Amino acid sequence: MKRIVILGSGFGGMEAAVGLDKLFHRTKDVEVLIISEQNHFLFTPLLPQIASSYINPRHIVQTVRDLRSRRHFRFRRDTVHSIDLENRRIELTTDSVLYDYLVIALGSHTEYFKVSGAREHTWDFKSLEDAVVLRERIIDACEHADHTVDAAERRRYLTFIVVGGGYTGVELLAEMRDFMFGYVAKKYRGIPREEIRLILVEAGQSILNGVHPSLRKHALKRLHGEGIEIRYNSPVTRCFEGGIEIGGKEILEAGTVAWAAGVRAHELVEKLPGPHDRIGRALLNQYLQLEGHSEVFIIGDSAAAADATEAPRVAPVAISQGRIAARNIAHLERKEPLEAYHYVSQGMLVSLGMNDAVVNILGLRIHGYFAWLFWNAVHLFKLVGVKKQLQVALDWSLSMLFPRDAAIVRRPKGCKICAAQLK
């Protein structure tokens, strides 16, 4: 019995599992096994809408076993501690698993660029739990600002900073703006609208790199028009309780700082032999194989092309790489020529909050309300399962008719920002 092990249940890992199941479902001596810490698949493009109370957190996750349905691949929820390439062994929490082929789709983790205090005093935004905890923090800050007499303290509570001007940072801050001005300013009588401050901090000279200039111009106009401050050429050099330091000298006080400035390859990938790029991704050949180990494929955020062809760290790239990896494993088994992976842009979609987005697809560049409708339609279509599609569609519809849900469901434990601020 040959075993194909897939590490990770994200976009790339699930696509590889589905592809392998199709290719080997009639082959009784091949086993496909997914190993992941989480027992679900997370639709990450909608994470910003969790932070703004636009949709229910459970509506963008689907358990792996539900996704498997009648497919034959197996699933195991466990933590991977190490990868022994020489013996083709995966060390897990309880035991170990041998493999004949390995697909590594472990994603990435937040890159703090060695900024002092960033890990301790900012809010991460990578997982579903991160989004839920950030949502609780935003609402909690508003609850305290509502009855705070001291004007300076209230302004600090109502100052929100997002570090990183990429797609995630822009979409997150746009959603926060919708929540703060569309709900908080109306429902919290002790919060003047003019005291709400939203700041996007970017180390580079522009935001939304890779977006067509005309669409970026529209995005900037929209963000500025909705009261968002954008700080360019502003590298964060220090984070502390209650704010950040820019360029080693300027201090910005804020009650909440969300970090969306970059990602780094998974720790296990960084430990693999062979060359790596500046953010720890393994440099692979054109077939997505690890150097010196033709049975190991790496896909998604932890994979980099050896020819320096840069592909963005987005879901469509992981999905296409998952398909190629699955087919190449089948080709190896059948002693057929392998397929090379070539990055081809499938377009770009960025939400700018309620009723606005920028879209560049198939040479068509649109922005505004119809772009927003298109953004919604695409993401609704890509959600896995009719149940999740209906749940998210209903969330969107109800949010247009009724106020957003601002109930604090849970109090974050081990608050990164001094707990005394919220007492």
Side-chain angles (χ1 to χ4, degrees):
M1 173 76 70
K2 289 196 173 182
R3 177 181 291 152
I4 306 170
V5 174
I6 302 169
L7 304 183
S9 60
F11 283 99
M14 290 306 303
E15 191 65 30
V18 171
L20 288 165
D21 188 82
K22 290 180 180 178
L23 292 165
F24 291 107
H25 73 282
R26 294 182 179 178
T27 308
K28 295 183 179 181
D29 61 345
V30 174
E31 176 189 67
V32 179
L33 171 65
I34 296 181
I35 301 174
S36 175
E37 285 187 321
Q38 303 295 336
N39 76 333
H40 62 254
F41 164 78
L42 171 65
F43 193 74
T44 53
L46 294 183
L47 273 182
Q49 297 187 359
I50 302 299
S52 67
S53 293
Y54 194 20
I55 57 178
N56 187 303
R58 290 188 178 275
H59 294 172
I60 64 170
V61 291
Q62 181 81 299
T63 64
V64 174
R65 290 179 175 85
D66 286 344
L67 291 174
R68 178 177 60 187
S69 186
R70 297 181 179 180
R71 298 184 179 97
H72 297 90
F73 66 79
R74 293 178 54 219
F75 173 73
R76 174 170 177 173
R77 182 175 181 268
D78 212 329
T79 300
V80 179
H81 293 288
S82 65
I83 302 172
D84 183 352
L85 295 176
E86 297 304 320
N87 296 306
R88 299 190 180 186
R89 184 192 307 272
I90 306 295
E91 297 295 337
L92 304 173
T93 299
T94 54
D95 58 9
S96 60
V97 172
L98 298 175
Y99 66 85
D100 294 283
Y101 296 99
L102 178 64
V103 179
I104 302 176
L106 290 169
S108 57
H109 63 89
T110 301
E111 170 66 280
Y112 292 102
F113 303 103
K114 299 182 180 179
V115 175
S116 175
R119 186 185 300 274
E120 296 80 12
H121 301 298
T122 66
W123 301 85
D124 201 356
F125 196 70
K126 285 285 292 178
S127 68
L128 182 62
E129 183 179 7
D130 292 336
V132 172
V133 170
L134 179 59
R135 170 193 178 275
E136 307 291 85
R137 167 61 190 180
I138 293 169
I139 298 172
D140 206 4
C142 293
E143 292 293 341
H144 287 77
D146 186 55
H147 60 73
T148 299
V149 177
D150 184 86
E153 186 178 3
R154 186 171 61 249
R155 283 194 297 271
R156 180 175 54 79
Y157 277 130
L158 296 176
T159 299
F160 301 87
I161 295 175
V162 173
V163 180
Y167 297 177
T168 300
V170 169
E171 291 192 334
L172 174 58
L173 199 56
E175 286 295 329
M176 292 170 63
R177 176 207 60 211
D178 285 351
F179 180 71
M180 295 302 297
F181 292 128
Y183 179 84
V184 172
K186 297 177 181 178
K187 297 294 182 179
Y188 289 72
R189 297 177 180 177
I191 297 180
R193 181 185 179 92
E194 59 273 13
E195 289 190 6
I196 298 173
R197 191 180 182 192
L198 303 171
I199 307 173
L200 183 64
V201 176
E202 167 57 39
Q205 299 179 355
S206 64
I207 65 171
L208 295 177
N209 290 327
V211 174
H212 190 272
S214 64
L215 296 179
R216 187 187 302 119
K217 182 179 179 181
H218 171 80
L220 290 172
K221 182 179 179 181
R222 163 77 174 184
L223 296 174
H224 283 303
E226 294 292 335
I228 293 177
E229 302 175 39
I230 302 179
R231 303 290 299 270
Y232 303 106
N233 300 310
S234 301
V236 177
T237 50
R238 181 168 64 94
C239 299
F240 52 91
E241 294 177 3
I244 62 174
E245 178 187 77
I246 294 177
K249 51 185 179 180
E250 182 183 2
I251 298 296
L252 285 179
E253 293 188 350
T256 304
V257 180
W259 192 273
V263 297
R264 190 168 186 85
H266 194 279
E267 297 91 337
L268 291 175
V269 173
E270 290 199 69
K271 294 178 181 178
L272 294 176
H276 294 71
D277 69 0
R278 60 182 178 79
I279 60 172
R281 297 183 301 176
L283 296 177
L284 312 173
N285 64 19
Q286 59 184 329
Y287 309 116
L288 303 178
Q289 294 167 303
L290 182 66
E291 182 180 286
H293 296 273
S294 60
E295 76 284 356
V296 177
F297 295 80
I298 304 178
I299 60 178
D301 286 358
S302 290
D307 62 0
T309 301
E310 183 68 21
R313 293 176 289 277
V314 293
V317 171
I319 291 171
S320 60
Q321 290 179 344
R323 292 171 182 165
I324 292 292
R327 292 202 293 265
N328 278 341
I329 289 174
H331 291 322
L332 285 174
E333 275 295 286
R334 299 163 185 169
K335 296 180 170 48
E336 299 170 345
L338 302 186
E339 298 180 39
Y341 169 76
H342 299 289
Y343 167 66
V344 178
S345 175
Q346 298 183 22
M348 173 280 306
L349 303 91
V350 180
S351 171
L352 301 176
M354 185 65 71
N355 297 333
D356 205 348
V358 290
V359 172
N360 185 358
I361 189 166
L362 298 177
L364 178 65
R365 293 187 291 271
I366 58 175
H367 58 75
Y369 181 70
F370 289 105
W372 177 75
L373 290 178
F374 184 80
W375 187 97
N376 287 337
V378 168
H379 287 82
L380 197 63
F381 175 76
K382 288 186 176 181
L383 273 167
V384 181
V386 175
K387 177 184 176 181
K388 298 301 176 181
Q389 292 172 334
L390 290 175
Q391 287 176 327
V392 170
L394 185 59
D395 285 341
W396 288 343
S397 300
L398 292 176
S399 293
M400 295 179 185
L401 297 173
F402 303 100
R404 301 194 185 195
D405 188 351
I408 297 178
V409 180
R410 55 185 287 244
R411 180 70 173 270
K413 296 180 180 180
C415 178
K416 294 180 183 179
I417 298 179
C418 182
Q421 294 179 352
L422 300 181
K423 292 182 178 179

